[in-house]
Amino acid sequence: MRTLFLLLGCLGAFATPALANKVFVSNEKGNTVTVLDSDNWEVLTEFNAGNRPRGIGISPDGKHLYVCASDDDTIRVFDADSYEELWTLPSGPDPELFTLHPSGNPLYVANEDDNLVTVIDTEKRTVLAEVPVGVEPEGMAISPDARFVVNTSETTNMAHFIDTTDYEIKHNVLVDQRPRYAVYTDDGARLFVSAEIGGTVSEIDPNAEGGPTLINKFEFAVPGVEPEWLQPVGMKITADKRWLFVALGPANRVAVIDLSTDEVVDYILVGQRVWQLAFTPDQKYLITTNGNSNDVTIIDVAAQKALKSVQVGQQPWGVVVAPN
Amino acid sequence: MKPIAIICASLLLSFLVAMPLFALEIRTAVLRVDYPTRVPISRFDLMPDDMGFAGATLGNEDNQTTGSFLGIEFSTEFVATSPDKAGEALAALQADGIALIVVLASDDDLLALADAAGEGALILNAMARGTTLRDVQCRANILHIAPSQAMLADAVTQFAMWKKWPRWFLIEGSNAADLALGAEYRRAAQKFGAKLVEQRIFEDTGGSRRADTGHVLVQRQIPVFTQGARDHDLVIAADASDVFALYLPFHTWAPRPVMGSAGLRPVTFHATHESWGAMQFQTRFEKLANRYVREEDYQAWLALRVIGEAVIRTNSADPATLKDFALGDSFELAAFKGQAVTFRDWNGQLRQPILLTDSKVTVSVSPQEGYLHQRTALDTLGLDQPESACTAFTK
């Protein structure tokens, strides 16, 4: 059903008006979540979300909003309609980023302070496993077949491949300094890891014979921007596996990589310190959080142009859009 | 050519990562020379017994976590010695087969130790700040993790100029180290266009640092000492000996901010620094050491991380290979300062942002906006290649 929607969305601008979806933005300094309407990009409301909300996600049925309240050492779960806090999940200390099993359960979260990935049953609200990983685990992704969870560790500079059946690390791949975020193409054939301080995006062949293998590195260059400020962080890939968008942090730009040619084709100017990205379900729009300008920028995905920026709370960090 | 080389190296590495077949053993040591010290002006500056060692312990643990995924074993030994026994301590470590040595010592002792260690060793300087060690006295077997006094003075000066506070009242201590620091601020002022409108020397008359209700006297002495100075924007304190600088803020005759050895201080790291993931470092360090981090700890941590990174990327234990990699274009290391730290390949100095702290928060970080350099803005801090007389690295 959802695939059908995606396909319809991809057919372009002639489709009937897109469904309005709620866009949830975590505001790291404001301790709130801002809710936007993807129809008109108006702010619907802003609600308290605990101390230092960062990583944010939503259950596949769109009912539960998960927010890493980093300074509360917990994941807060909100009703996505009423914004009421329902319960918390035992995330372990300082949760930052997480990924959900495609079914919505379990949830895999990186605990930066303890060099652990914690696996949480979202229904029973219990810890299923704690997996020791490298120093300062951060980025989290799950392969579309749910076979592996990929965690990146910022000081160890590795992507760890955690087997979801026994929670053992099966493979490690070294990448560049301070790997921040990992993302698969929807078919699970390609995997990308951003390195904030290294200034690169590494491509890993996750299905290579003999285990996942580093096969390419993307570098960035913007005239007039000092190279050390080109810091890749959040990433998203279109469902057609064609376009990879990379938030470049303090460079205030989102890089566009054409995955059919593996070329960086454009840099879209957005707000300051662009951090995380999210598509609307129809993938017509990409939303960027801009931490230092306290706004989000809406990008027209097909045109690869920034449409507008909308003020949200203080220091927006993460963003997720409710499914249809 | 270069991207291909990188990809090939990466392919090789990922192959090695996938199959940690053989163990590589990396043995390092931290050699700390302890000097007779006077009680500091501030209790917060009392030297802990594990100064530097605690940072190195964390650095080794961080390396070991990574090493455990790669079949590499990292270990570190800790030696504290008096100045007269430092040579023997170094010889003992070398006799034991350790060639990668982090040294916390004075400028003179560092130089003597590096010369005694010889070409086969790699010395990582985690403390000595003398600019001449990066200049005429540079040595090919030293990598300087600690910044030079020139880098620190430039960091303060850039901030002062960004604030448009170019008229300085420089107060130096009377000891040789204070005067050397004062000279760095004079040079920095000239480099960035500040003017020294007034210069005075604060005599170190000896005696104890503290006395009960000492502040009563300080409150009368400092205003008198700073009275009648020509109009200035800023007081710069050059007090390497910890004699008077901490008494200057709030007590100066004119209501002016103090920078340098007190007030706004240039540091490599501080326990209050939180940005760029530094909280994770602070948390790990405090859990391990049960105290706040000091610059010496951060620098010792960073020294071992440099070794760890070079070992992991080269899969080698050979000091020469590790040094070449560290000085090469593909070396970079994340150090909780917002950008990668790298080495100046002409004098072995680690390029790094310098934090400016009021001891409560990170006030700013240099290099400041607008200070540009053809290589990297970090090279606006300290000796640049054309200014450095170092030739040991160009052979």
Side-chain angles (χ1 to χ4, degrees):
Chain A
M1 180 64 191
R2 190 128 52 86
T3 326
L4 184 63
F5 270 122
L6 288 178
L7 283 173
L8 284 172
C10 292
L11 287 177
F14 301 109
T16 46
L19 289 171
N21 297 85
K22 280 182 182 172
V23 179
F24 300 94
V25 178
S26 61
N27 300 305
E28 180 182 9
K29 188 154 168 62
N31 289 345
T32 56
V33 165
T34 301
V35 189
L36 302 169
D37 183 330
S38 74
D39 208 14
N40 54 17
W41 307 112
E42 299 277 332
V43 174
L44 296 173
T45 189
E46 187 174 332
F47 63 91
N48 291 328
N51 288 308
R52 203 173 178 201
R54 291 194 282 176
I56 187 166
I58 195 160
S59 57
D61 61 10
K63 284 187 178 155
H64 295 154
L65 183 73
Y66 300 99
V67 180
C68 289
S70 296
D71 283 356
D72 296 335
D73 299 332
T74 193
I75 294 177
R76 298 188 183 278
V77 185
F78 297 89
D79 183 308
D81 288 324
S82 69
Y83 318 129
E84 265 176 66
E85 184 172 329
L86 301 172
W87 53 76
T88 63
L89 295 176
S91 66
D94 199 17
E96 187 166 342
L97 273 173
F98 62 85
T99 190
L100 279 166
H101 190 278
S103 70
N105 192 22
L107 178 151
Y108 308 86
V109 61
N111 298 121
E112 286 196 316
D113 283 350
D114 281 2
N115 303 345
L116 289 175
V117 165
T118 304
V119 186
I120 302 165
D121 186 316
T122 53
E123 281 162 19
K124 295 183 188 135
R125 300 171 223 162
T126 53
V127 173
L128 296 172
E130 288 181 334
V131 186
V133 292
V135 183
E136 296 172 32
E138 167 94 15
M140 299 292 296
I142 188 162
S143 59
D145 63 4
R147 180 75 215 290
F148 285 105
V149 164
V150 174
N151 161 251
T152 65
S153 48
E154 291 177 327
T155 289
T156 295
N157 302 319
M158 276 183 182
H160 307 286
F161 289 75
I162 301 165
D163 191 322
T164 52
T165 57
D166 59 7
Y167 305 126
E168 296 280 335
I169 293 178
K170 293 294 159 70
H171 310 283
N172 299 290
V173 177
L174 267 176
V175 293
D176 285 343
Q177 296 292 308
R178 230 173 146 69
R180 275 283 188 172
Y181 196 86
V183 63
Y184 278 95
T185 50
D186 280 2
D187 61 358
R190 303 179 77 175
L191 172 66
F192 300 87
V193 174
S194 62
E196 181 189 14
I197 296 295
T200 58
V201 169
S202 293
E203 178 173 1
I204 293 168
D205 178 350
N207 310 311
E209 229 174 287
T213 305
L214 185 69
I215 54 172
N216 194 12
K217 274 185 195 171
F218 295 91
E219 294 183 352
F220 304 93
V222 179
V225 178
E226 289 173 46
E228 55 265 34
W229 301 123
L230 297 164
Q231 301 186 349
V233 194
M235 297 187 289
K236 282 287 178 262
I237 302 172
T238 52
D240 62 5
K241 301 170 286 181
R242 175 76 192 274
W243 303 104
L244 167 60
F245 294 91
V246 184
L248 293 178
N252 309 333
R253 282 162 176 84
V254 172
V256 184
I257 298 177
D258 183 341
L259 291 180
S260 67
T261 59
D262 288 349
E263 303 265 347
V264 183
V265 294
D266 202 2
Y267 296 93
I268 303 170
L269 192 61
V270 293
Q272 292 172 26
R273 193 185 188 251
V274 54
W275 213 242
Q276 296 291 348
L277 310 172
F279 285 120
T280 51
D282 58 11
Q283 300 209 337
K284 269 181 82 171
Y285 303 106
L286 181 72
I287 301 133
T288 77
T289 55
N290 312 318
N292 281 353
S293 46
N294 296 335
D295 53 13
V296 297
T297 300
I298 318 301
I299 290 172
D300 181 324
V301 173
Q304 297 177 2
K305 294 267 181 272
L307 295 177
K308 66 185 295 189
S309 292
V310 181
Q311 286 290 308
V312 291
Q314 280 187 69
Q315 301 210 325
W317 196 98
V319 55
V320 69
V321 185
N324 288 324
Chain B
M1 181 61 202
K2 212 180 91 199
I4 295 170
I6 290 171
I7 289 169
C8 290
S10 310
L11 281 172
L12 178 66
L13 276 169
S14 54
F15 175 74
L16 293 169
V17 172
M19 298 198 270
L21 290 176
F22 56 97
L24 183 65
E25 201 188 339
I26 306 297
R27 296 175 65 210
T28 56
V30 183
L31 178 61
R32 191 184 76 194
V33 183
D34 289 342
Y35 301 92
T37 53
R38 291 191 287 180
V39 176
I41 291 178
S42 169
R43 292 192 68 240
F44 281 4
D45 295 333
L46 281 167
M47 186 182 123
D49 291 341
D50 61 351
M51 184 190 76
F53 292 168
T57 303
L58 183 65
N60 190 62
E61 280 184 10
D62 285 356
N63 286 344
Q64 185 48 37
T65 304
T66 308
S68 67
F69 296 112
L70 298 167
I72 302 173
E73 178 83 24
F74 288 92
S75 63
T76 298
E77 288 182 31
F78 302 97
V79 181
T81 171
S82 59
D84 57 322
K85 298 268 174 27
E88 285 171 41
L90 174 77
L93 289 169
Q94 288 189 291
D96 193 24
I98 297 178
L100 303 167
I101 301 167
V102 179
V103 173
L104 295 118
S106 68
D107 290 9
D108 292 345
D109 287 343
L110 173 78
L111 210 54
L113 288 167
D115 288 343
E119 277 185 19
L122 182 59
I123 303 292
L124 295 104
N125 166 24
M127 193 157 102
R129 293 179 160 179
T131 303
T132 54
L133 295 171
R134 287 83 172 163
D135 195 11
V136 287
Q137 291 184 311
C138 76
R139 296 291 187 269
N141 64 347
I142 305 180
L143 293 178
H144 298 282
I145 308 302
S148 64
Q149 296 285 27
M151 291 166 71
L152 298 167
D154 285 353
V156 170
T157 306
Q158 284 189 6
F159 181 73
M161 296 309 286
W162 189 88
K163 292 293 297 178
K164 305 206 186 306
W165 293 340
R167 295 174 306 163
W168 290 5
F169 177 5
L170 174 67
I171 305 177
E172 295 163 274
S174 57
N175 297 306
D178 309 328
L179 297 169
L181 185 55
E184 294 287 4
Y185 278 103
R186 265 185 220 99
R187 182 203 47 75
Q190 191 170 18
K191 180 173 173 182
F192 295 111
K195 276 198 187 64
L196 293 152
V197 294
E198 184 82 31
Q199 304 183 50
R200 290 181 192 178
I201 289 181
F202 193 102
E203 287 295 333
D204 180 2
T205 53
S208 76
R209 296 297 169 93
R210 294 174 305 183
D212 204 20
T213 67
H215 65 276
V216 175
L217 210 50
V218 167
Q219 192 169 337
R220 282 168 174 68
Q221 283 173 335
I222 299 296
V224 174
F225 177 77
T226 52
Q227 190 178 1
R230 269 180 292 272
D231 232 12
H232 54 279
D233 302 310
L234 183 65
V235 174
I236 295 280
D239 178 20
S241 318
D242 188 34
V243 169
F244 66 94
L246 294 180
Y247 297 136
L248 294 176
F250 310 108
H251 288 310
T252 51
W253 184 266
R256 296 290 178 270
V258 178
M259 297 186 189
S261 302
L264 191 73
R265 298 180 301 119
V267 294
T268 53
F269 209 67
H270 195 268
T272 60
H273 183 60
E274 294 191 29
S275 295
W276 300 306
M279 260 324 289
Q280 297 159 51
F281 176 92
Q282 308 285 12
T283 309
R284 284 209 304 286
F285 181 86
E286 286 159 22
K287 203 183 277 185
L288 178 96
N290 288 313
R291 62 172 174 84
Y292 288 134
V293 70
R294 291 172 55 115
E295 286 183 271
E296 294 86 349
D297 294 300
Y298 172 77
Q299 288 155 197
W301 171 84
L302 193 48
L304 285 185
R305 288 289 299 125
V306 166
I307 293 176
E309 183 63 17
V311 166
I312 287 156
R313 303 286 170 179
T314 60
N315 210 40
S316 169
D318 171 44
T321 305
L322 300 179
K323 188 188 106 177
D324 287 350
F325 179 79
L327 294 172
D329 285 345
S330 42
F331 178 87
E332 57 180 6
L333 187 60
F336 306 106
K337 296 212 217 177
Q339 58 176 297
V341 296
T342 57
F343 282 96
R344 292 173 182 155
D345 63 4
W346 67 88
N347 69 354
Q349 172 67 54
L350 188 79
R351 293 184 180 96
Q352 55 193 309
I354 299 295
L355 311 182
L356 300 171
T357 183
D358 69 348
S359 304
K360 284 283 204 180
V361 291
T362 299
V363 174
S364 185
V365 181
S366 287
Q368 295 295 321
E369 198 183 331
Y371 287 95
L372 303 177
H373 191 280
Q374 68 276 15
R375 199 177 293 106
T376 155
L378 292 177
D379 280 352
T380 63
L381 301 179
L383 279 183
D384 199 2
Q385 189 166 13
E387 299 155 351
S388 166
C390 177
T391 54
F393 287 78
T394 48
K395 282 172 201 161

